[in-house]
Amino acid sequence: MDLTSFVTSLGTYFGIFMGLMIVYAFLSWRAGNNVVYYPNKILKGLEPLEGKNKSCNPFIWMKVALLPSGVDTAVYFVFLNTVLSILVLSAVILLPVLLPVAVTDERVVKESLTSHYNQTVVDELQKLTMGNITEKSNRLWAFFVCCYWFSLVALGLLWKACKHVSCLRAQALMDPNNVKPEQFAVVVRDIPAVPLGETTTEEYVHSYFKAIYPDTYYKCMIVTDNRKVDSIEYYNDRINETVTKLEAEQKITQSKKQQNAALVFFTSRVVAASAAQSLHAQMVDTWSVSPAAEPRQLIWHNLTIKYFERELRKYLVHAIVALTIVFYMVPISFISAFTTLQNLVELAPFIEPVVRIKALRTVLEAYLPQLALIIFFYLLPKLLLYLSKLEGIPTQSQAVRAASGKYFYFPVVNVFLGVTLGGTLYRTFKLIEDNPKSLLSWLVMSLPDNATFFLTYLSLKFFVGYGLELSRLVPLILYHFKRKYICKTEAECKEAWAPGDLGYETRVSEDMLIVIIVFCYSVIAPLIIPFGVLYFGLGWLILRNQALNVYVPTFESNGRMWPHIHNRILASLILYQVTMLVYFGLQKFYYASLLIPLPILSFIYGFVCAKKFYPAFERPILEVAAYSMREAPDMELIFRSFIPPSLNSEKIDDENFEDSISKF
Amino acid sequence: MDLTSFVTSLGTYFGIFMGLMIVYAFLSWRAGNNVVYYPNKILKGLEPLEGKNKSCNPFIWMKVALLPSGVDTAVYFVFLNTVLSILVLSAVILLPVLLPVAVTDERVVKESLTSHYNQTVVDELQKLTMGNITEKSNRLWAFFVCCYWFSLVALGLLWKACKHVSCLRAQALMDPNNVKPEQFAVVVRDIPAVPLGETTTEEYVHSYFKAIYPDTYYKCMIVTDNRKVDSIEYYNDRINETVTKLEAEQKITQSKKQQNAALVFFTSRVVAASAAQSLHAQMVDTWSVSPAAEPRQLIWHNLTIKYFERELRKYLVHAIVALTIVFYMVPISFISAFTTLQNLVELAPFIEPVVRIKALRTVLEAYLPQLALIIFFYLLPKLLLYLSKLEGIPTQSQAVRAASGKYFYFPVVNVFLGVTLGGTLYRTFKLIEDNPKSLLSWLVMSLPDNATFFLTYLSLKFFVGYGLELSRLVPLILYHFKRKYICKTEAECKEAWAPGDLGYETRVSEDMLIVIIVFCYSVIAPLIIPFGVLYFGLGWLILRNQALNVYVPTFESNGRMWPHIHNRILASLILYQVTMLVYFGLQKFYYASLLIPLPILSFIYGFVCAKKFYPAFERPILEVAAYSMREAPDMELIFRSFIPPSLNSEKIDDENFEDSISKF
């Protein structure tokens, strides 16, 4: 890609961004769109334009968008912040040092003169990269030192972030004004079959825990197998059958429905925290106890899956995902090949008039093959979340983390490896034919070329991506469409504008792809750093606004996402260090091996972090749980908060549920 | 090895065994030797010959030797028992089926006729092995079925043993008559530097744990840095210096000597068990809490090693051991080459007269090169125990397990791989020169040859080895020598006959070598099974006697050795299954791949066991700790039992120690 086309696309993207900003300013100003642009505030009962100046300045959100809501959101901003700081702090050295050093050398010019292809085009952008440095040149020392600088800055700031997040989590869990009900409960799974002498699972659980915790045991709540019933159907049934008969029947089934899982409540946070991480039974696959999560994020039907079945499901799902990562292009290509315009017209003759329009036909023919890929990437997060829940994961937040971990590989394989390998292979196809051994060499030497592609990719991401994010055009259209044609009741209307949460499962993974790209090219093509700064800076501002005005967290895991994020940043750093090691080696720099301490240092850093910080994200900490509360907890309120909505609903009277609540 | 020489060595070993038995019968009958043959009984205050019939029958111990002492000893016998049962139960099928099937085929005879070397000698023993079966023969089905039988018997009995040991451990820990002081304590390491406002580590620990466990915290005991002082030296110092000055000085140093580790005592076993497995601090490398062990097996100076230093030490020690395993032959060969008789005479001229005796000279010249190896294998367990303690392991029993784990590789590498590879390579040297690709084929095909060697090796082990074990000739000679020439005080005399414990660190590893050998050859050369039965049967009887009369356990870990043992038996089983798979393949048996489910089954079995049983050996179990005691524990007695002997000794008055005992 030469300079002109690069500048052209940059300009185009910027134009789109400005357009979207104007659209946002215009639309968000209209009160009818408030439910799309300020759903968070509306749900909190705040005035949508509160905090906005009466001056109708649409960019006023930049000022107010500075307060995080919840630790999970805060952790996401710590992530953005940390990457941003790493890039800014390294740019201070890298840009003024490396760009002049690179541009004053002349390898690219020389090579384009001697090369037997492309003799006329000199890529101006490539002159600003490490690819322009002559082999074995002493100028490589500048890049070498910058390699160390970047790594040390990254490790230092990551360490600071780890401490900060660790502190945030502890503070949130200790907050005397916001005592969380889940801190008083533990989840008990794999309850053995009720022995002779006890009548119900409930009594069994009660006597078991009462014996171990005579002073602090409060109550237990057995998981029951409640069918989801449509209320209208339910009431019809109720009317049709004799009411009394039904109720008697229900009472019997209710106690039969008691499953092998329970929530156990304690009157002390320390005891609950300690119980959640202790082995209770000599046979470890029975009475397995784990920390409880917020009531809203418990996946009830997963609680009853047995120990070894969970293990089996986990391995099966991992195998399926691994196969999908490796082979996902196969079925997509297959489907693409079949979804030609010709076949579509045969299947659905009513689209024929559309196809007759020539301009449209050209566009469709061009984009149809990619349609399968687009649909695949749209459905993928949903599929992965579904698969993660199939594993038997007990909480929503953990399922989201698991899905995010799985999703991570797809953009990386698709974009990073796809472009780097694909682009390189294409360009060096002829050379490889002559000399197949130089594959690796050419692969790395053409990294600076790929950098230009990624500059464009990044600007697309932050101009068009964030523009769409802020202007919320798709949700806006969907909302107005639904309101006009679908919604009948008020509840359905509310559903139509429900904003959802930040969507960590895809967002973090996509940001992480940018982290990998920017880290890997930071020293090779330092020009990518300002683009990275723009991506994370703009992202920070726009997502602050969205977090405040739009998205509503569906759960709060108090920052348990952090080890997941931190590990992946560290992996990107190590990938960068190894890339640099290979790249310096291929530049025939004699001292390349002096870079070996860097990945070793990163591994040691990762090991220390994993030992020092991570366990506090996995398990409840006693010194935190022992922190004094403002007042004694209302145990009945805490217990009630865990009653599932389907049983707690005012539509159905409570008596059905009585049986599944401990009477003790 | 042909039949005659095999029978000859078998006869010789049996003769030695009978001789040693007569020696034992004669010596153990003499009262003067009681301290060598019945130290355990003497230390327990029992009459040595109690339980013995007045008939002076020396084999009467077979009847009494049926009561184990302690769970650790019991677990060792469960191990012997299980292997014995596996062998007996499989022998019932394998011997009557496989021996006739093998002996009626005639591959060995045919091959010796066509082979271009060793044409005259037909190995009679080899006719009884799978090596005598013609390639692709249907007779291989018999061996195939036996493979499955052996594996299933082994897995079934191992499962039973796991359950049994798990039960034994739980029972011992629940025993209301034998409440263990360590169940009320936890070890706290990595105590952070004392903050401003607290004066001593002790106060800091006290306030920290009192805040978390307001009701159940009892006291803490800070680890102090006490020099080991020889009592005579100590009293001399005391006389020389002014006594009062010294005491004042000591008091100050005592409180300065407080280290960053402590024992914390609780009034409840459940709380102690729960605390031992919970995270206490947000920064996980501080306040790390683990279960306490028996007072006598705490390695005090290891408690103060810091978190990451422990990790570092662990990796360093593992690296050193790995290098030793791979390269241990190098320095030994080097030393052997230098310790020729010539050199020795030059170094130590006084041995010259000995060397002049011709017969002795011949023997010495033959055995001197192996001397370094013998000394190495004598010193090795001590070295490994030393290295394991260097890792920073806090308890004696854990150090012994770690040493045993390391020791395991040496006999395996030395004997099993050495003989199998060495013997095979030697015999097939010429063939390999012609056709290097057939190395693997020949390696496995000559397994039946090696079986004959191992038959002899096993009989050496159980006849000579156990004969020496029972007759205790070496300890007897040492004791009488020491008593005559060295011992002066009664304490030193007692030291001279101190029997020590069973020595799990070497014993288990050496038994395990026999397990590997017998398992691997069980189907290939079923004749090895009776030898295995003799080894474990005789071992069972003789060690029962030794456990009852001789050895005194130096610690009791309530069977924590079991996962270690079980894992290694399972590894032997998988090694056997893989060997069989390869061996069947080389016999060109078409259905060899039908054996693949076996190692998979073993892996799944191992996985299930590791999940279901192992954690209960690692961590205290709450339902066990909650088991009611006969009477309320005397906390002061429990606390006192942990005071180290050097501080608790009656020679020194208690006041020195007052400072390191919590006053709260």
Side-chain angles (χ1 to χ4, degrees):
Chain A
M1 194 184 285
D2 59 21
L3 196 59
T4 329
S5 67
F6 173 68
V7 171
T8 311
S9 44
L10 216 64
T12 317
Y13 297 149
F14 183 68
I16 295 172
F17 178 69
M18 290 315 292
L20 288 169
M21 290 299 278
I22 292 164
V23 167
Y24 169 68
F26 177 72
L27 290 176
S28 69
W29 181 73
R30 295 182 45 173
N33 291 330
N34 274 350
V35 291
V36 175
Y37 292 105
Y38 305 99
N40 184 330
K41 284 199 170 168
I42 290 169
L43 287 173
K44 277 185 188 153
L46 298 172
E47 184 59 32
L49 301 184
E50 195 177 287
K52 257 197 186 181
N53 223 315
K54 293 286 175 293
S55 66
C56 288
N57 178 352
F59 297 103
I60 195 69
W61 53 259
M62 283 196 184
K63 278 194 194 156
V64 296
L66 288 161
L67 289 166
S69 56
V71 181
D72 282 345
T73 318
V75 163
Y76 180 67
F77 285 101
V78 170
F79 158 57
L80 295 182
N81 230 335
T82 306
V83 177
L84 194 61
S85 315
I86 293 172
L87 295 180
V88 169
L89 216 66
S90 54
V92 169
I93 300 284
L94 266 62
L95 291 183
V97 170
L98 296 188
L99 291 183
V101 169
V103 84
T104 52
D105 210 334
E106 43 196 0
R107 187 177 181 185
V108 170
V109 179
K110 273 189 199 157
E111 289 208 346
S112 68
L113 290 176
T114 55
S115 155
H116 56 83
Y117 73 115
N118 259 358
Q119 281 162 342
T120 47
V121 181
V122 173
D123 188 334
E124 292 297 320
L125 284 171
Q126 231 190 314
K127 280 192 178 171
L128 292 167
T129 68
M130 202 169 150
N132 197 29
I133 305 291
T134 318
E135 272 182 9
K136 301 181 194 173
S137 162
N138 273 332
R139 287 165 185 249
L140 288 171
W141 277 109
F143 290 87
F144 180 88
V145 171
C146 285
C147 250
Y148 264 88
W149 171 250
F150 187 88
S151 298
L152 295 178
V153 162
L155 290 181
L157 289 172
L158 282 175
W159 180 260
K160 221 181 108 209
C162 269
K163 275 184 143 171
H164 179 49
V165 171
S166 196
C167 210
L168 276 181
R169 178 175 165 86
Q171 272 167 5
L173 290 174
M174 287 194 298
D175 187 0
N177 298 315
N178 182 15
V179 173
K180 297 158 182 20
E182 66 269 23
Q183 290 184 305
F184 292 89
V186 296
V187 169
V188 179
R189 308 220 260 180
D190 310 303
I191 300 171
V194 180
L196 291 170
E198 315 257 1
T199 52
T200 61
T201 308
E202 194 179 338
E203 275 179 32
Y204 188 30
V205 172
H206 172 78
S207 62
Y208 187 86
F209 280 92
K210 192 77 186 168
I212 298 178
Y213 306 97
D215 305 323
T216 46
Y217 170 81
Y218 178 67
K219 258 186 188 178
C220 67
M221 182 189 283
I222 310 293
V223 175
T224 51
D225 181 20
N226 303 300
R227 280 174 312 154
K228 262 197 180 169
V229 281
D230 188 289
S231 57
I232 298 171
E233 248 180 69
Y234 172 79
Y235 282 105
N236 278 338
D237 279 4
R238 207 162 164 165
I239 293 161
N240 292 343
E241 296 190 38
T242 326
V243 176
T244 43
K245 194 181 161 193
L246 180 75
E247 278 180 347
E249 198 71 28
Q250 274 181 334
K251 210 143 201 173
I252 295 160
T253 31
Q254 197 82 35
S255 90
K256 271 186 196 161
K257 277 178 190 169
Q258 291 198 347
Q259 305 274 301
N260 64 342
L263 286 164
V264 171
F265 294 84
F266 298 97
T267 53
S268 150
R269 285 203 294 191
V270 173
V271 174
S274 189
Q277 46 195 318
S278 298
L279 293 179
H280 283 70
Q282 180 76 12
M283 294 299 148
V284 186
D285 60 343
T286 57
W287 297 106
S288 45
V289 177
S290 52
E294 289 178 308
R296 57 179 169 172
Q297 55 164 311
L298 280 176
I299 306 172
W300 292 91
H301 58 271
N302 271 354
L303 294 181
T304 58
I305 300 170
K306 279 187 192 140
Y307 191 91
F308 286 109
E309 194 187 330
R310 297 202 293 271
E311 293 289 329
L312 186 66
R313 280 169 176 237
K314 196 173 77 188
Y315 286 104
L316 280 181
V317 166
H318 284 202
I320 291 169
V321 172
L323 286 177
T324 315
I325 292 167
V326 178
F327 296 114
Y328 77 92
M329 289 307 288
V330 178
I332 290 169
S333 323
F334 199 70
I335 293 165
S336 305
F338 275 85
T339 52
T340 56
L341 220 48
Q342 197 67 39
N343 290 340
L344 276 187
V345 170
E346 273 175 32
L347 280 171
F350 59 85
I351 63 161
E352 224 191 322
V354 181
V355 173
R356 281 209 190 125
I357 306 161
K358 206 183 171 199
L360 209 64
R361 191 196 172 93
T362 321
V363 172
L364 276 178
E365 272 181 342
Y367 284 102
L368 257 184
Q370 293 180 28
L371 201 66
L373 195 66
I374 291 166
I375 293 173
F376 173 77
F377 266 98
Y378 174 75
L379 292 178
L380 186 62
K382 290 166 182 58
L383 173 75
L384 293 177
L385 195 61
Y386 172 75
L387 281 174
S388 299
K389 283 181 184 168
L390 263 195
E391 284 183 37
I393 287 173
T395 64
Q396 191 70 26
S397 68
Q398 202 183 335
V400 165
R401 283 198 301 282
S404 173
K406 294 179 179 93
Y407 185 73
F408 177 63
Y409 297 100
F410 288 91
V412 170
V413 168
N414 193 43
V415 179
F416 188 70
L417 289 185
V419 169
T420 307
L421 278 178
T424 308
L425 286 178
Y426 177 77
R427 259 171 286 146
T428 60
F429 189 62
K430 279 202 174 150
L431 279 158
I432 289 165
E433 265 189 352
D434 301 340
N435 185 7
K437 276 183 188 169
S438 64
L439 173 62
L440 183 74
S441 155
W442 271 95
L443 205 129
V444 179
M445 285 310 286
S446 59
L447 272 180
D449 291 7
N450 295 327
T452 320
F453 169 83
F454 283 123
L455 289 181
T456 325
Y457 181 78
L458 251 74
S459 54
L460 174 74
K461 273 276 178 181
F462 60 69
F463 281 144
V464 181
Y466 282 132
L468 281 171
E469 170 71 56
L470 185 66
S471 64
R472 286 179 69 74
L473 283 184
V474 180
L476 182 81
I477 293 164
L478 280 178
Y479 163 65
H480 283 293
F481 178 81
K482 278 184 191 163
R483 208 186 49 161
K484 273 233 168 94
Y485 302 106
I486 298 175
C487 303
K488 280 161 206 158
T489 66
E490 201 175 319
E492 278 173 329
C493 239
K494 211 170 175 182
E495 182 105 322
W497 56 265
D501 58 11
L502 263 167
Y504 298 104
E505 66 267 40
T506 53
R507 196 177 293 279
V508 169
S509 299
E510 275 161 12
D511 291 342
M512 213 51 81
L513 173 69
I514 309 296
V515 171
I516 298 179
I517 293 170
V518 177
F519 275 28
C520 281
Y521 287 102
S522 61
V523 169
I524 294 174
L527 210 62
I528 206 161
I529 298 181
F531 284 76
V533 169
L534 265 175
Y535 178 87
F536 287 100
L538 216 55
W540 192 88
L541 282 172
I542 286 177
L543 286 172
R544 279 254 152 155
N545 176 63
Q546 304 297 80
L548 271 181
N549 295 336
V550 181
Y551 296 122
V552 180
T554 52
F555 58 79
E556 176 61 56
S557 67
N558 297 300
R560 281 193 65 168
M561 196 79 174
W562 178 251
H564 175 98
I565 294 174
H566 181 253
N567 259 341
R568 279 163 184 75
I569 301 180
L570 201 63
S572 313
L573 190 69
I574 292 170
L575 182 66
Y576 146 73
Q577 289 162 345
V578 172
T579 308
M580 289 316 295
L581 189 64
V582 175
Y583 196 63
F584 269 107
L586 290 169
Q587 288 268 26
K588 297 188 183 150
F589 185 60
Y590 293 126
Y591 306 98
S593 58
L594 289 179
L595 284 175
I596 292 174
L598 278 184
I600 294 174
L601 186 70
S602 304
F603 270 112
I604 293 174
Y605 167 83
F607 178 81
V608 170
C609 278
K611 290 278 180 181
K612 189 181 174 79
F613 299 111
Y614 291 6
F617 289 89
E618 292 292 314
R619 291 155 60 180
I621 299 292
L622 296 195
E623 68 176 22
V624 170
Y627 199 81
S628 58
M629 285 167 280
R630 181 142 301 181
E631 54 198 6
D634 178 350
M635 285 310 296
E636 197 52 33
L637 205 69
I638 286 170
F639 179 73
R640 287 263 151 195
S641 71
F642 274 90
I643 296 172
S646 68
L647 293 172
N648 206 21
S649 155
E650 276 156 30
K651 283 178 278 181
I652 305 171
D653 44 278
D654 245 351
E655 64 195 291
N656 284 341
F657 188 63
E658 279 302 301
D659 244 19
S660 63
I661 297 172
S662 171
K663 282 159 236 134
F664 305 98
Chain B
M1 193 183 286
D2 58 22
L3 197 59
T4 329
S5 67
F6 173 67
V7 170
T8 311
S9 46
L10 216 65
T12 318
Y13 296 148
F14 184 67
I16 295 172
F17 179 68
M18 289 316 292
L20 288 169
M21 290 300 277
I22 293 165
V23 166
Y24 169 68
F26 177 72
L27 290 175
S28 70
W29 181 71
R30 292 181 45 172
N33 292 330
N34 274 350
V35 291
V36 174
Y37 292 105
Y38 305 100
N40 185 329
K41 284 198 170 171
I42 290 169
L43 287 173
K44 277 186 190 156
L46 298 171
E47 182 61 29
L49 301 184
E50 194 178 288
K52 258 198 181 179
N53 222 313
K54 292 288 175 292
S55 66
C56 289
N57 179 352
F59 296 103
I60 197 70
W61 52 261
M62 285 195 182
K63 279 193 191 157
V64 295
L66 288 162
L67 291 165
S69 54
V71 180
D72 282 345
T73 317
V75 163
Y76 180 68
F77 284 102
V78 170
F79 158 56
L80 293 182
N81 229 335
T82 307
V83 177
L84 193 61
S85 316
I86 293 172
L87 295 180
V88 169
L89 216 66
S90 54
V92 170
I93 303 283
L94 264 62
L95 290 183
V97 171
L98 297 188
L99 291 183
V101 169
V103 83
T104 51
D105 209 334
E106 43 195 4
R107 186 177 180 187
V108 171
V109 179
K110 273 188 201 157
E111 289 209 345
S112 69
L113 290 176
T114 55
S115 154
H116 56 81
Y117 72 116
N118 260 359
Q119 281 163 340
T120 47
V121 181
V122 173
D123 190 334
E124 292 297 320
L125 284 172
Q126 232 189 313
K127 281 191 177 171
L128 292 167
T129 70
M130 203 169 149
N132 197 31
I133 306 291
T134 317
E135 274 181 7
K136 303 180 194 172
S137 161
N138 273 334
R139 286 165 186 249
L140 288 171
W141 277 109
F143 290 87
F144 179 88
V145 170
C146 284
C147 250
Y148 263 89
W149 171 250
F150 187 88
S151 298
L152 295 178
V153 163
L155 290 181
L157 289 173
L158 282 175
W159 180 259
K160 220 182 108 207
C162 268
K163 276 185 142 169
H164 180 49
V165 170
S166 195
C167 210
L168 275 181
R169 178 176 165 86
Q171 272 168 6
L173 291 174
M174 287 194 298
D175 187 0
N177 298 314
N178 183 15
V179 173
K180 297 161 187 13
E182 66 268 23
Q183 290 184 305
F184 291 89
V186 296
V187 170
V188 179
R189 307 218 261 179
D190 311 303
I191 300 171
V194 179
L196 291 171
E198 315 258 3
T199 52
T200 61
T201 308
E202 194 179 341
E203 275 178 32
Y204 188 30
V205 172
H206 172 78
S207 61
Y208 187 86
F209 280 92
K210 192 77 188 169
I212 298 178
Y213 306 98
D215 305 324
T216 47
Y217 171 82
Y218 177 66
K219 259 186 189 180
C220 67
M221 182 189 284
I222 309 293
V223 175
T224 50
D225 181 21
N226 303 301
R227 281 173 311 157
K228 260 195 181 171
V229 282
D230 187 290
S231 58
I232 297 171
E233 245 179 71
Y234 172 78
Y235 282 105
N236 279 339
D237 279 3
R238 206 161 166 165
I239 294 160
N240 292 342
E241 295 188 39
T242 329
V243 176
T244 43
K245 194 181 158 191
L246 180 76
E247 279 180 345
E249 198 70 28
Q250 275 181 332
K251 211 142 201 173
I252 296 160
T253 31
Q254 199 82 35
S255 90
K256 273 186 193 159
K257 277 177 188 168
Q258 291 196 350
Q259 305 275 301
N260 64 342
L263 287 164
V264 172
F265 295 84
F266 298 98
T267 53
S268 150
R269 286 203 294 192
V270 172
V271 173
S274 191
Q277 47 195 317
S278 298
L279 293 180
H280 282 70
Q282 180 77 9
M283 294 298 148
V284 187
D285 59 343
T286 57
W287 298 106
S288 45
V289 177
S290 53
E294 288 179 309
R296 58 178 169 173
Q297 54 164 311
L298 280 176
I299 306 173
W300 294 90
H301 59 270
N302 271 354
L303 294 182
T304 58
I305 300 170
K306 280 186 190 137
Y307 192 91
F308 287 109
E309 193 186 330
R310 295 202 294 271
E311 294 289 329
L312 186 68
R313 281 169 175 237
K314 197 174 75 188
Y315 286 104
L316 280 181
V317 166
H318 284 201
I320 291 170
V321 172
L323 286 177
T324 315
I325 292 167
V326 178
F327 296 113
Y328 77 91
M329 289 306 289
V330 178
I332 290 169
S333 323
F334 200 69
I335 293 166
S336 304
F338 273 86
T339 51
T340 56
L341 218 49
Q342 198 68 39
N343 290 341
L344 274 187
V345 171
E346 272 173 30
L347 280 171
F350 58 86
I351 62 161
E352 227 194 317
V354 181
V355 173
R356 280 207 191 128
I357 305 160
K358 208 183 167 198
L360 209 64
R361 191 193 171 95
T362 320
V363 172
L364 278 178
E365 273 181 340
Y367 284 101
L368 256 184
Q370 294 181 25
L371 200 67
L373 194 67
I374 292 166
I375 293 172
F376 172 77
F377 267 99
Y378 174 74
L379 293 178
L380 186 62
K382 289 167 182 58
L383 173 76
L384 293 176
L385 195 61
Y386 172 74
L387 281 174
S388 300
K389 284 181 185 169
L390 265 194
E391 284 183 39
I393 287 173
T395 64
Q396 191 70 27
S397 69
Q398 202 184 335
V400 165
R401 285 197 301 282
S404 173
K406 295 179 180 95
Y407 185 75
F408 177 64
Y409 297 99
F410 288 92
V412 170
V413 168
N414 193 42
V415 177
F416 189 68
L417 290 185
V419 168
T420 308
L421 279 178
T424 308
L425 286 179
Y426 177 78
R427 259 170 287 146
T428 60
F429 189 62
K430 280 202 173 148
L431 280 157
I432 289 165
E433 265 189 350
D434 303 341
N435 185 8
K437 276 183 189 169
S438 65
L439 172 63
L440 184 72
S441 153
W442 272 96
L443 205 128
V444 179
M445 286 309 285
S446 60
L447 272 180
D449 292 6
N450 294 327
T452 320
F453 169 83
F454 283 122
L455 288 181
T456 326
Y457 181 78
L458 251 75
S459 54
L460 174 74
K461 273 276 180 184
F462 60 69
F463 280 146
V464 182
Y466 282 131
L468 281 172
E469 171 72 55
L470 185 66
S471 65
R472 284 179 70 74
L473 282 185
V474 179
L476 183 80
I477 294 165
L478 279 178
Y479 164 65
H480 283 294
F481 178 80
K482 278 183 191 164
R483 206 184 54 158
K484 273 233 168 95
Y485 301 107
I486 298 175
C487 303
K488 280 159 204 161
T489 68
E490 203 174 317
E492 280 174 328
C493 240
K494 212 169 175 181
E495 181 104 322
W497 57 264
D501 58 12
L502 265 167
Y504 299 104
E505 66 267 41
T506 52
R507 197 177 293 278
V508 169
S509 299
E510 276 161 12
D511 291 343
M512 214 52 83
L513 173 68
I514 309 296
V515 171
I516 298 179
I517 292 170
V518 176
F519 275 28
C520 282
Y521 287 101
S522 60
V523 170
I524 294 175
L527 210 60
I528 207 160
I529 299 181
F531 284 77
V533 169
L534 263 176
Y535 179 87
F536 286 101
L538 216 55
W540 192 87
L541 281 173
I542 287 177
L543 286 172
R544 280 256 151 153
N545 177 62
Q546 304 298 80
L548 269 181
N549 295 335
V550 182
Y551 297 121
V552 179
T554 51
F555 59 78
E556 175 63 57
S557 68
N558 296 302
R560 283 193 64 170
M561 195 78 175
W562 178 252
H564 175 100
I565 294 174
H566 181 254
N567 260 342
R568 280 163 183 75
I569 301 180
L570 201 62
S572 311
L573 190 69
I574 292 170
L575 182 66
Y576 146 73
Q577 289 162 344
V578 172
T579 308
M580 289 317 294
L581 189 62
V582 175
Y583 196 63
F584 269 106
L586 289 169
Q587 288 266 26
K588 296 182 183 153
F589 185 59
Y590 293 126
Y591 307 98
S593 57
L594 289 179
L595 284 175
I596 291 174
L598 277 184
I600 295 174
L601 186 70
S602 303
F603 269 112
I604 293 174
Y605 167 82
F607 177 80
V608 170
C609 278
K611 290 279 181 183
K612 188 181 175 82
F613 297 112
Y614 292 5
F617 288 89
E618 292 292 315
R619 292 155 60 179
I621 299 295
L622 296 195
E623 70 177 20
V624 170
Y627 200 81
S628 59
M629 285 167 280
R630 181 140 304 178
E631 53 199 8
D634 178 348
M635 284 311 294
E636 196 54 30
L637 205 70
I638 286 170
F639 179 73
R640 287 263 150 196
S641 71
F642 274 89
I643 297 173
S646 68
L647 293 172
N648 204 21
S649 155
E650 278 157 29
K651 284 177 275 177
I652 305 170
D653 44 277
D654 247 351
E655 64 197 288
N656 284 340
F657 188 61
E658 279 302 301
D659 246 18
S660 62
I661 297 172
S662 173
K663 282 159 233 130
F664 306 96

